[in-house]
Amino acid sequence: MGADFNDELQKCFEVLKQGGLILYPTDTVWGIGCDATNPEAVQKVYALKNREDSKALICLVANQAMLERHIKEVPEVAYDIIDLATKPTTIVFDEPIGVAQNLVAEDNTLAIRVASDKFCQYLINKFRKPIVSTSANISGEPTPKRFKDIGPEILKGVDYVVNLPDENKDPSPSSIIKLGNDGQVKVIRE
């Protein structure tokens, strides 16, 4: 790890701790992030993106143990999906626990992804809590694939922009799969 990498981790950690917003590279596209357990921070994300609370945001965790701390009961099939997925895959789970209430969808579900990106994993491990990840665009506008495509209002609206290069060769949003506690599996976005 270069000094830059550790420096960026520390800066993000400080901002997240204070309830601020970061703009950071994820295993998919660049994301706007915040402390997923802090309702005021989550509200800032909705305000910046100009979207209403009922549009759920994705939450990133560092590993399966952290996932288990925030979902009442992880269905067995989730582990297969996480292990077998060939691209970043977000899973919508029933009955999340210990996250900001305004992050939870009206049907009491939460979209969570185990981050595969090194920076995300290190950051979430250091922070020891899930962080929000939502595409760096105003609601309704196209998702920026590269850092250079991110609009000025987003860059100005976050408290810290990570200064690391685009590493992702082919960035695209994650697949989304909904898992019900009743065993139902539904693909929402391929």
Side-chain angles (χ1 to χ4, degrees):
M1 297 297 150
D4 292 353
F5 187 91
N6 288 327
D7 197 33
E8 294 298 326
L9 280 178
Q10 188 56 39
K11 286 176 178 156
C12 286
F13 177 71
E14 298 294 336
V15 171
L16 290 172
K17 227 167 44 178
Q18 290 156 11
L21 305 188
I22 59 170
L23 182 64
Y24 68 115
T26 75
D27 48 357
T28 59
V29 292
W30 276 74
I32 301 168
C34 72
D35 177 351
T37 67
N38 179 335
E40 288 82 17
V42 172
Q43 189 47 51
K44 287 183 199 166
V45 176
Y46 288 122
L48 176 58
K49 283 185 66 90
N50 204 357
R51 69 192 271 186
E52 66 277 14
D53 291 15
S54 58
K55 292 264 182 70
L57 304 173
I58 290 173
C59 200
L60 294 182
V61 294
N63 47 45
Q64 294 182 358
M66 189 180 279
L67 169 66
E68 286 158 6
R69 283 203 292 279
H70 291 283
I71 296 297
K72 194 171 168 194
E73 193 181 335
V74 178
E76 276 304 305
V77 66
Y79 298 105
D80 295 336
I81 293 171
I82 292 165
D83 292 340
L84 301 172
T86 52
K87 64 174 274 194
T89 300
T90 300
I91 301 177
V92 180
F93 292 97
D94 283 336
E95 297 185 83
I97 41 182
V99 294
Q101 200 45 53
N102 55 346
L103 196 56
V104 177
E106 285 168 2
D107 59 356
N108 198 22
T109 60
L110 179 62
I112 298 187
R113 185 163 79 251
V114 178
S116 55
D117 172 84
K118 192 159 59 176
F119 183 76
C120 291
Q121 281 186 338
Y122 275 72
L123 178 60
I124 300 163
N125 270 323
K126 188 177 173 70
F127 193 52
R128 305 181 71 139
K129 287 190 273 192
I131 61 176
V132 164
S133 170
T134 180
S135 57
N137 57 325
I138 304 293
S139 201
E141 291 183 5
T143 299
K145 295 220 164 188
R146 300 263 172 230
F147 183 76
K148 63 176 173 42
D149 305 328
I150 298 169
E153 62 282 90
I154 297 285
L155 294 169
K156 286 205 281 280
V158 297
D159 299 292
Y160 186 68
V161 177
V162 172
N163 186 17
L164 288 173
D166 281 333
E167 289 206 338
N168 210 330
K169 300 291 171 274
D170 179 30
S172 58
S174 63
S175 305
I176 301 182
I177 296 175
K178 190 173 192 311
L179 293 185
N181 282 348
D182 54 4
Q184 274 197 323
V185 179
K186 187 172 156 205
V187 175
I188 295 178
R189 180 170 76 195
E190 289 210 14

